[in-house]
């Protein structure tokens, strides 16, 4: 067997040969003529001329062998429901939804925004888009109307698909009303909204003729037969918005063929998931992990995938492990936050169920601290693989690759660069490579491998400017993460270089939260920073300057304004962006050129040294931050 080092080397030195081979795991309706076209750096086109379809690879291709095997299992501990769909049934459901979408005027290249809870219909809708070549853009249900409106205006969807509501910890979240609000705010609203009613909103408002009831329309398309649209490998499959340094999320655009190949190969080499087995990924379809490893990856591999609506501790902290036992899960994928939540529960829950089927637990989305890594590894007695990637990459960048070689796991490290990624640690100042044990920017020398984002939706220039312009001397992709490598070649991720924070595995831009805070009529300006949190990894903390300070003299007035600001964030961005606390100050620490010193504020909030302050305009401003923190420790 080839060792991983050799496998990796070949992926870089003989890029085309390597990926030509990997591409064999995907069905091509028409073979590609060129593995890679890199004539317009940094835009990489993979498998040029080849025609395929993600839905075909996820469903149709398996019908001969697996039509009665479960493809999708939906488990909701919120609604007390469990339903499963065989590959044959999934095939039928997806075709029916494809027919419904076509009847609403959706054709190839049209955008469809999916704003849905974790229900099977969301999976059908995603796959139906892929089937007919429509471009889906799934928006996480935790985002509020204003965030949704900005995504609508960027994607300009023909259709939006939603449900009456979702449920979290027994509390109903009304999706459709949020959609209505977002459409009122949007400049480019969709022509049609398709609504799946779960019975969670008895007073569901319908706006005819725009709003269409899912079940009524479905009744008009029984037994629909809709073939797959064959797409050139580089045509867009989906847009997924993600946060960055600006207040405006970027539409990460993904292709078809490269993504299919990257996922198929990762299922084999990284996740070791085989056809007929079960994968349980505990993320949400609104995040990249849900796209790649709830929907497409496991289905492309011919596995059964589990879609779970609920939290890890309801009805009790054994619920996930019971699923592993009952469905003989071999591959599980979760986030460190969830494990930290479970760590606080009785460890007996982990021993109550038979976990012998489980081969690996993969964790990603935020730094995995060593104590949590140790705890879960020992509790499970299975390899727990920390792996690192991004919405932009679509699949792992750093990981152990046990399907090629079972390398030792080091606690707190996502191991090595994944094949296909020419990964470097570059010094921020001059883009030179670091020695071991030296903190630097995690960068990737392009071309980016298959599966990674093709561009920013509708804005090639922003793609180049955002990701490839960190270093003036070298056009390399910046991950915007700091990293370090040890003597044995293991990497460690040390947090973001920009203003992105990670709250319970949810990626948020501090600028987005600031814009939401600023929407309160009594806020003049604010700074939001991420501060370390033992459970959620990070939490946003806001420092705000009020316009009218008369209310702030009394603690009760401050408390009231703080509450109002939090409610404003809930409404604008969604509860996931709500700051842990809002501190009021008279002035924010800024440089003489007017840049807010966020890193210094963050350092103070975390009890660290604020660093170089030579450029600060008013040192008293920093003292105010210190005082505010002393009064109300974070
Ligand atoms: O900062 C890194 C952190 O999450 C960011 C990407 O988040 P997102 O686009 O939501 O994609 C998540 C896909 C798993 C990264 O830039 N991050 C992700 N995984 C890790 C991590 N930080 C440390 N260790 C990880 N394993």
């Amino acid at each position: 067997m080839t060792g991983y080092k050799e496998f990796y080397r070949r992926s870089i030195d003989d890029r085309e040969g390597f990926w030509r081979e990997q591409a064999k795991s995907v069905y091509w309706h028409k073979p590609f003529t060129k593995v890679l076209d890199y004539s317009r750096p940094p835009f990489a086109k993979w498998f040029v001329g080849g025609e395929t379809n993600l839905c075909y690879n996820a469903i149709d291709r398996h019908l001969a062998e697996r039509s009665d095997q479960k493809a999708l299992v939906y488990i909701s501990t919120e609604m007390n429901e469990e339903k499963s769909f065989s590959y044959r049934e999934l095939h039928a459901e997806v075709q029916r939804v494809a027919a419904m979408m076509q009847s609403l005027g959706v054709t190839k290249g049209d955008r469809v925004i999916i704003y849905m809870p974790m229900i099977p219909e969301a999976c059908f809708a995603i796959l139906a888009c892929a089937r007919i070549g429509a471009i889906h853009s799934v928006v996480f249900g935790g985002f509020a109307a204003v965030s949704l409106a900005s995504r609508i205006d960027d994607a300009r969807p023909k259709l939006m698909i939603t449900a009456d509501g979702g449920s979290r910890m027994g509390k109903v979240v009304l999706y459709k009303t949020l959609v209505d609000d977002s459409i009122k705010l949007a400049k480019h609203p969709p022509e049609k909204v398709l609504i799946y009613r779960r019975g969670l909103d008895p007073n569901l408002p319908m706006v005819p003729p725009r709003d269409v009831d899912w079940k009524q329309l479905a009744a008009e398309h029984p037994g629909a037969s809709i073939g797959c649209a064959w797409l050139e490998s580089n045509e867009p499959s989906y847009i997924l918005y993600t946060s960055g340094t600006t207040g405006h999320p970027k539409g990460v655009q993904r292709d078809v063929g490269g993504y299919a190949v990257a996922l198929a190969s990762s299922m084999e080499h990284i996740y070791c998931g085989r056809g007929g087995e079960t994968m349980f990924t505990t993320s949400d379809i609104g995040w990249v992990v849900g796209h790649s490893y709830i929907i497409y990856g496991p289905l492309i591999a011919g596995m059964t995938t589990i879609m779970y609506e609920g939290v890890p501790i309801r009805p009790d902290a054994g619920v996930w492990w019971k699923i592993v036992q009952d469905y003989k899960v071999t591959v599980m994928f979760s986030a460190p936050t969830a494990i930290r939540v479970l760590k606080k529960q009785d460890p007996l829950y982990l021993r109550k169920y038979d976990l012998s089927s489980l081969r690996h637990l993969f964790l990603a989305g935020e730094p995995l601290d060593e104590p949590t890594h140790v705890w879960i590894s020992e509790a499970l007695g299975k390899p727990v693989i920390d792996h690192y990637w991004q919405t932009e990459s679509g699949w792992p960048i750093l990981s152990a690759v046990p399907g090629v070689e079972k390398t030792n796991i080091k606690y707190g490290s996502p191991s090595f660069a994944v094949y296909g990624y020419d990964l470097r640690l570059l010094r921020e100042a001059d883009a030179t490579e670091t020695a071991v044990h030296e903190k630097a920017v995690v960068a990737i020398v392009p071309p980016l491998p298959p599966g990674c984002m093709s561009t920013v939706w509708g804005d090639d220039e922003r793609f180049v400017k955002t990701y490839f312009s960190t270093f003036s001397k070298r056009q390399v992709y910046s991950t915007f993460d700091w990293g370090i490598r040890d003597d044995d070649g293991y990497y460690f991720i040390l947090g973001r270089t920009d203003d992105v924070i990670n709250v319970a595995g949810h990626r948020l831009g501090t600028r987005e939260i600031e814009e939401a805070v600023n929407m309160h009529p009594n806020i003049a300006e604010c700074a939001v920073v991420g501060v370390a949190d033992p459970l959620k990894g990070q939490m946003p903390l806001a420092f705000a300057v009020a316009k009218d300070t008369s209310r702030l003299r009394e603690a009760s007035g401050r408390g009231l304004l703080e509450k109002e600001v939090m409610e404003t964030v809930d409404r604008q961005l969604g509860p996931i962006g709500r700051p842990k606390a809002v501190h009021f100050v008279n002035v924010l620490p800024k440089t003489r050129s007017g840049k807010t010193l966020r890193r210094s504020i963050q350092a103070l909030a975390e009890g660290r040294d604020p660093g170089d302050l030579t450029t600060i305009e008013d040192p008293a401003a920093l003292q105010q931050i210190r005082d505010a923190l002393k009064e109300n420790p974070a």
Side-chain angles (χ1 to χ4, degrees), residues 349-370:
Y349 283 119
L350 265 157
R351 273 176 252 135
K352 204 171 152 192
Y353 298 102
D354 174 8
L355 306 181
S356 57
S357 60
L358 191 66
R359 221 173 275 134
H360 300 102
L361 168 64
F362 289 85
L363 297 174
E366 54 175 323
L368 173 60
D369 54 287
E370 199 175 320

Side-chain angles (χ1 to χ4, degrees), residues 289 364-367 386-391 481 493 496 502 507:
V289 173
E366 54 175 323
D386 176 18
H387 63 328
Y388 157 89
W389 49 291
Q390 306 182 304
T391 304
D481 280 299
I493 295 293
R496 298 279 302 195
N502 212 311
R507 172 169 162 181

